[in-house]
Amino acid sequence: MLSLIRSFGERCSDLSERYIPDPYVIAIVLTFVAAAAAVATGSGPRETLTAWTGGVWSLLPFMAAISVLLMAGDAIAKSPIFTRGLERLARLPSSRFTAVWFTSFVAMAAAVVSWAIGLIVGAIMAKRVAYECQEQGISVHYPLLAAAGYTSLMVFHGGFSSSVGLLMADPSLVPASFPDYVRGGIPLAQTIGSVTNIVTTGALLVVVPVVMGLLHPTEGVRELPRRTYREVDRVVTEAYAQEPVATDGGSDGDTDDRTVADRLNDSRLLGLAIGLFPAFFVVNAWFLRGGGISNLTLNSINALFLLLAILLWNRPTAIVKQMRDSVTNISGIIFQFPFYAGIAGLLTGTGLATVIVEFFGGFATPTTWPVIGVLVAGVVNIFIPSGGGQWVAMGPIMLDVTTGFGYTPAQAVIIEMLGDQLTNMIQPFWAIPLLAIANLRARDIIGYTAVAMVAGLLIVCTSLTLFMVVL
């Protein structure tokens, strides 16, 4: 069994390196595939182009919120305190298997708290674990470590930053196109907090890291590149030297020769004071207002992340410098987001999303719909890799089909959440920050993450069948 899993992983890796292009090329290909499918299902050329233009800027507010979340998450994960903590964790693995298993588990566990932090932590852990293993003389396949770090994106919807769950929990965010029976929102207790989601997410956390550890090749091991090794070595050293010699004035009678502007730029007091505003946002949203966990929205999480980034970096110059680096890591996502919004426009503006759901729904029965619904969500996620963007595009028809089979609206959301995240393992859009940090290409990791997707699909389908059909 072990040799079969390893052989399957190596075969997928070989195919990935041969056929998987860069993420932007995938976006281009998917745009033409979606446009051709729209034309084939009855949309005229002009109508198709109009649908694309109608969607291309439609997700700008969501894109801005996601960008802030990624930047703040990147800044948190790269802060001196976090860096030292990850360094200590990276020293724990003592073998090839534990190195890969541990990287995947830490990334996935972090993603349950926040997918943005999980994604960045996964990338950093991959580099740190590879570095520490090399220091200990343990030969570990670096692309597999990076793939293990990316498994965070196949479990995040089950955690506190599920974009679909958070969107439906806030009635003010539910789109006008959604059915009246969900316009009042769906409490998080029925989606993220459901037994179905908790058990499924727990099973993914247990099984997927083990599968990743078993994929380690016996030959052709690519260790951490020398250039990347030197980069990590420098970062580890500098993590202990982040503090400036002086901040808000000299000491022991020394003269501070800095200008007023320099003092303000380097002022901890000023840097921390601005945290009052996001802190009030969080306190007001989660404690002062009624509603409890339903107030756990994307905006409130963004406010919390901004607050944490401010506290961890504390000086204006330090956080601005880090945010500049963070923007570089996510620039590919910002650039490609409008293209995927355009694809979303193609699916909704031409009715292609309805055709896809109804096509699969035509083969379904009340017994098989949870599994088929997962497959539908996974297929559409390849074309619209944004969980929230995908739900806006296909949510109404998914809700109607699911409730038509006798399930609750909350169960429709769970099907979407658990199915959407799986195909992130073969859609490298969200891997862009990880690839930038790890200095790798999409083709280096997709073969291994495809195996994780298959394992995750088996877990999700089994769990949904058990909780939605059998019990």
Side-chain angles (χ1 to χ4, degrees):
M1 185 64 177
L2 175 59
S3 61
L4 182 63
I5 293 175
R6 183 179 293 125
S7 176
F8 182 47
E10 290 175 354
R11 178 59 177 163
C12 289
S13 178
D14 290 341
L15 292 173
S16 172
E17 291 184 4
R18 191 167 190 174
Y19 295 109
I20 299 297
D22 290 335
Y24 178 51
V25 175
I26 292 176
I28 295 173
V29 172
L30 290 176
T31 299
F32 283 107
V33 170
V39 172
T41 54
S43 177
R46 182 169 182 176
E47 181 185 357
T48 300
L49 291 172
T50 300
W52 186 88
T53 58
V56 66
W57 307 123
S58 63
L59 296 179
L60 280 180
F62 183 69
M63 181 187 76
I66 293 299
S67 297
V68 171
L69 190 66
L70 273 171
M71 286 190 297
D74 188 71
I76 292 169
K78 292 179 179 176
S79 64
I81 293 176
F82 225 91
T83 296
R84 290 192 286 270
L86 291 178
E87 181 188 355
R88 294 188 184 98
L89 286 176
R91 293 173 181 169
L92 296 178
S94 57
S95 67
R96 287 179 169 182
F97 173 82
T98 56
V100 179
W101 171 85
F102 190 70
T103 299
S104 178
F105 181 80
V106 170
M108 294 178 76
V112 171
V113 178
S114 163
W115 66 267
I117 288 183
L119 179 61
I120 304 304
V121 164
I124 295 174
M125 279 297 295
K127 291 177 70 172
R128 292 294 169 82
V129 169
Y131 171 83
E132 293 296 337
C133 284
Q134 196 160 321
E135 290 286 284
Q136 299 174 43
I138 302 171
S139 178
V140 178
H141 194 49
Y142 182 50
L144 178 58
L145 279 175
Y150 188 49
T151 55
S152 61
L153 263 290
M154 70 175 297
V155 74
F156 80 97
H157 261 313
F160 298 110
S161 63
S162 168
S163 51
V164 177
L166 293 174
L167 186 149
M168 295 306 296
D170 188 345
S172 68
L173 296 179
V174 178
S177 60
F178 277 49
D180 290 338
Y181 55 81
V182 296
R183 297 302 300 279
I186 299 175
L188 289 176
Q190 297 179 21
T191 55
I192 296 174
S194 67
V195 174
T196 303
N197 177 65
I198 293 172
V199 171
T200 307
T201 301
L204 290 170
L205 273 169
V206 171
V207 175
V208 172
V210 174
V211 171
M212 297 303 291
L214 295 176
L215 290 178
H216 201 289
T218 55
E219 299 178 353
V221 175
R222 291 169 51 191
E223 295 188 81
L224 190 69
R226 176 61 57 182
R227 180 170 62 90
T228 309
Y229 174 88
R230 289 195 296 266
E231 174 190 329
V232 177
D233 191 57
R234 185 179 65 254
V235 170
V236 169
T237 303
E238 291 179 352
Y240 293 93
Q242 292 286 343
E243 303 300 327
V245 176
T247 53
D248 297 309
S251 60
D252 299 328
D254 293 336
T255 302
D256 189 348
D257 295 329
R258 294 175 303 160
T259 65
V260 173
D262 290 335
R263 294 182 186 181
L264 291 174
N265 290 339
D266 224 21
S267 171
R268 276 198 182 92
L269 177 62
L270 192 62
L272 292 172
I274 192 62
L276 170 67
F277 295 92
F280 175 76
F281 190 111
V282 174
V283 172
N284 183 55
W286 294 356
F287 303 104
L288 301 183
R289 291 167 50 191
I293 195 172
S294 65
N295 292 326
L296 186 69
T297 63
L298 181 58
N299 285 337
S300 64
I301 290 177
N302 260 343
L304 175 63
F305 275 28
L306 284 174
L307 173 61
L308 291 176
I310 288 169
L311 295 178
L312 288 169
W313 287 98
N314 64 62
R315 294 181 297 120
T317 51
I319 193 169
V320 168
K321 181 179 181 297
Q322 176 52 51
M323 287 299 180
R324 189 183 303 122
D325 295 338
S326 299
V327 169
T328 300
N329 290 335
I330 69 169
S331 59
I333 288 178
I334 296 174
F335 171 65
Q336 292 180 43
F337 220 108
F339 292 93
Y340 282 105
I343 295 175
L346 286 171
L347 267 65
T348 56
T350 65
L352 186 57
T354 301
V355 171
I356 294 173
V357 176
E358 290 182 344
F359 173 79
F360 283 98
F363 295 99
T365 65
T367 301
T368 61
W369 174 246
V371 172
I372 292 178
V374 164
L375 296 177
V376 172
V379 169
V380 176
N381 179 61
I382 295 174
F383 291 88
I384 313 175
S386 163
Q390 176 185 336
W391 182 243
V392 170
M394 62 179 291
I397 184 64
M398 279 289 286
L399 284 163
D400 285 344
V401 171
T402 304
T403 54
F405 281 119
Y407 297 98
T408 66
Q411 288 175 315
V413 173
I414 293 171
I415 291 171
E416 169 68 23
M417 286 164 43
L418 298 178
D420 165 86
Q421 63 189 6
L422 292 176
T423 48
N424 283 328
M425 297 299 96
I426 57 173
Q427 164 51 279
F429 175 71
W430 293 114
I432 292 173
L434 178 142
L435 295 172
I437 293 171
N439 298 321
L440 291 171
R441 302 165 299 174
R443 68 185 71 176
D444 294 321
I445 69 170
I446 296 300
Y448 299 114
T449 54
V451 180
M453 181 192 71
V454 173
L457 179 63
L458 293 175
I459 293 170
V460 168
C461 290
T462 301
S463 180
L464 291 187
T465 301
L466 177 63
F467 286 102
M468 293 187 180
V469 178
V470 178
L471 298 181

